[in-house]
Amino acid sequence: PSPQGEARRGAVRLLPRDSAPSPSTTGLLPPACSTSLLLRSLQGVPQRLSRMQEAGDPRGRGQSSGGMRALGRPWVILLTYVLTAMELTCLFMQFSIIPYLSRSLGLDSVAFGYQQTIFGVLQLLGGPLFGRFADQRGARAALTLSFVAASALFLLLAAACSPALPGVALLFASRLPAVLMHTLPAAQMVITDLSAPEERSAALSQLGLCFGIGSIVGSLLGGTLSAAYGLQCPALVALVINLLGAVLSFTCIPASTKGASAHAQAAPPGGSKASVFDLKAITRLLLQPGVLPVFLVKVVCSFPFGLFMVMFSIISMDFFQLEAAQAGYLTSFFGILQMVIQGLVIRRLSSRFSEEALLRASVLVFMMVGLGMALMSNVSHFCLLLPGLVFSLCALNVVTDSMLTKAVSASDTGTMLGLCASVQPLTRTLGPTLGGLLYRRFGVSIFGHVQFAVNFFVLLVLWRQPMLQKTDKVW
């Protein structure tokens, strides 16, 4: 050791262990001594920050996505699941009364199709815009707005059941709030923001339990209440549930679930805040590396099954020869399968296999089920194919949603999930016309042939080009 090093160590030993240096003494000390004192003064900072987070001090809140996840208490995610189940229950209550209300008002099947098309188009257009609103205004505002819009829908629906009011006009007017009804994408945004990237698929898969509960309870409540008290009763019950959801969202959900870094990306210092209606920003999001291929896989693979489900009510009557009660049992069986497979099976598989492997498996099973659908001849065959069909659908939705939210920055997860939520309304918009033409000309088997061919092509693309691995990005 040099004499200068010995002098520095001697200077350090001259200072008391617990003394805090004054500015005058710090300026006289050698650089090594100042560094030692600085390191000693920083001891215990992580413990103090941890105590501040546990105590709820806003100064100790995470300044990054990881810090925000540490702040995200489990009850926030649990409440998000409960709110999602409430909204889906009301949605299925609506599905159970709309056909009977249309018939009681004297509307034919063509007018009923117009209602479905209007509902699908409004949700298709509103999904990306609602996602940008959720990114800019936060989870509390997004969930509250969705529940308020749903409350307006059921208020108009209950008014349409009154003989003293213009029921047809109110029924069509009740479709308008659908442009802002996006509770599921808002819930996905909350779960995405408060979960680690490696746990995202498992966390999103739990929404399958909410969907199963909503489909079963909503169908039962809608049918039971309408049979016992009339069609207006389910609409009023759904109105009360949505008002309760709006109050819970406004009072219990955090204003924002994103970290400070995400807000810095969304609104740079000195810059103007982007508009919710900025379509260029939405298009630019799809053109980011690794986003468009996964999004196209999601759209292309789910479209054939969406065509089949759009025509399912007609197929169940004409091809399967089912009564209304039997068709309801089949729908409940579908909901139970989705609840079990997405809530339990996909969660365990996502912890053992990569997302790319699960995506290829879902496309492969889709292809095999499509071949079976082309050969089925009765409802028993369809029931045997249904578990594989539900597995493919759940795995495709969960994995692609997880991969797409990882491919974009934390400030854009809501917009990305809004785009994902537009896939199903797109099918409901184009499906009735295209599905009707295919079914009338080729029969039920054409849906299986289309599903097999489309997924076979997608599987070849996935196997030859590992482009989906680019989406595993950490922000």
Side-chain angles (χ1 to χ4, degrees), residues 272-285:
S272 59
K273 200 169 187 178
S275 172
V276 173
F277 301 96
D278 189 359
L279 299 181
K280 291 183 179 180
I282 299 174
T283 306
R284 196 180 307 118
L285 191 65

Side-chain angles (χ1 to χ4, degrees), residues 241-359:
I241 293 176
N242 279 278
L243 290 175
L244 176 61
V247 173
L248 290 175
S249 300
F250 187 75
T251 57
C252 300
I253 296 295
S256 178
T257 54
K258 300 181 184 296
S261 60
H263 292 296
Q265 294 172 4
S272 59
K273 200 169 187 178
S275 172
V276 173
F277 301 96
D278 189 359
L279 299 181
K280 291 183 179 180
I282 299 174
T283 306
R284 196 180 307 118
L285 191 65
L286 285 175
L287 298 180
Q288 289 186 9
V291 173
L292 188 58
V294 182
F295 187 76
L296 289 178
V297 168
K298 182 182 184 69
V299 174
V300 171
C301 290
S302 60
F303 191 74
F305 174 73
L307 288 179
F308 177 81
M309 291 305 297
V310 166
M311 302 300 299
F312 181 74
S313 58
I314 298 177
I315 293 173
S316 61
M317 291 187 296
D318 296 344
F319 185 76
F320 293 146
Q321 299 294 319
L322 298 180
E323 300 293 336
Q326 294 172 332
Y329 296 151
L330 188 59
T331 304
S332 299
F333 178 55
F334 181 86
I336 293 173
L337 280 177
Q338 183 165 0
M339 180 173 61
V340 173
I341 291 177
Q342 185 170 331
L344 300 178
V345 177
I346 303 298
R347 179 185 180 184
R348 294 188 177 183
L349 291 178
S350 62
S351 62
R352 298 185 179 183
F353 300 96
S354 65
E355 292 178 339
E356 290 80 8
L358 286 177
L359 183 58

Side-chain angles (χ1 to χ4, degrees), residues 28 55 57 96 102 121 151 183 187 270 283 329 346 367 423 431 454 460:
L28 299 176
D57 191 331
S96 64
S102 300
V121 170
S151 302
T183 301
T283 306
Y329 296 151
I346 303 298
M367 186 181 67
V423 175
V454 168
L460 289 180

Side-chain angles (χ1 to χ4, degrees), residues 25-45:
T25 58
T26 305
L28 299 176
L29 292 175
C33 182
S34 300
T35 304
S36 175
L37 290 173
L38 177 62
L39 293 175
R40 186 182 302 171
S41 65
L42 290 176
Q43 291 179 357
V45 170

Side-chain angles (χ1 to χ4, degrees), residues 121-311:
V121 170
L122 289 175
Q123 287 218 310
L124 174 64
L125 297 176
L129 300 179
F130 183 87
R132 284 187 59 78
F133 175 84
D135 283 333
Q136 295 184 6
R137 302 297 181 181
R140 176 190 299 167
L143 285 170
T144 305
L145 177 63
S146 179
F147 276 106
V148 170
S151 302
L153 183 145
F154 286 105
L155 178 61
L156 292 172
L157 202 60
C161 298
S162 177
L165 298 175
V168 176
L170 290 172
L171 179 60
F172 276 92
S174 68
R175 307 297 90 192
L176 299 179
V179 70
L180 300 175
M181 287 175 53
H182 297 280
T183 301
L184 185 58
Q188 289 175 324
M189 186 193 75
V190 174
I191 295 170
T192 297
D193 292 339
L194 297 182
S195 61
E198 62 274 9
E199 300 173 353
R200 189 165 298 172
S201 296
L204 290 174
S205 67
Q206 296 300 306
L207 290 172
L209 294 173
C210 304
F211 186 91
I213 293 172
S215 63
I216 296 171
V217 177
S219 300
L220 291 176
L221 274 179
T224 303
L225 292 177
S226 60
Y229 304 103
L231 295 175
Q232 195 175 40
C233 182
L236 293 176
V237 172
L239 172 62
V240 174
I241 293 176
N242 279 278
L243 290 175
L244 176 61
V247 173
L248 290 175
S249 300
F250 187 75
T251 57
C252 300
I253 296 295
S256 178
T257 54
K258 300 181 184 296
S261 60
H263 292 296
Q265 294 172 4
S272 59
K273 200 169 187 178
S275 172
V276 173
F277 301 96
D278 189 359
L279 299 181
K280 291 183 179 180
I282 299 174
T283 306
R284 196 180 307 118
L285 191 65
L286 285 175
L287 298 180
Q288 289 186 9
V291 173
L292 188 58
V294 182
F295 187 76
L296 289 178
V297 168
K298 182 182 184 69
V299 174
V300 171
C301 290
S302 60
F303 191 74
F305 174 73
L307 288 179
F308 177 81
M309 291 305 297
V310 166
M311 302 300 299

Side-chain angles (χ1 to χ4, degrees), residues 393-408:
L393 184 65
C394 294
L396 177 71
N397 290 331
V398 170
V399 171
T400 52
D401 288 350
S402 176
M403 296 175 75
L404 289 170
T405 53
K406 292 178 185 178
V408 300

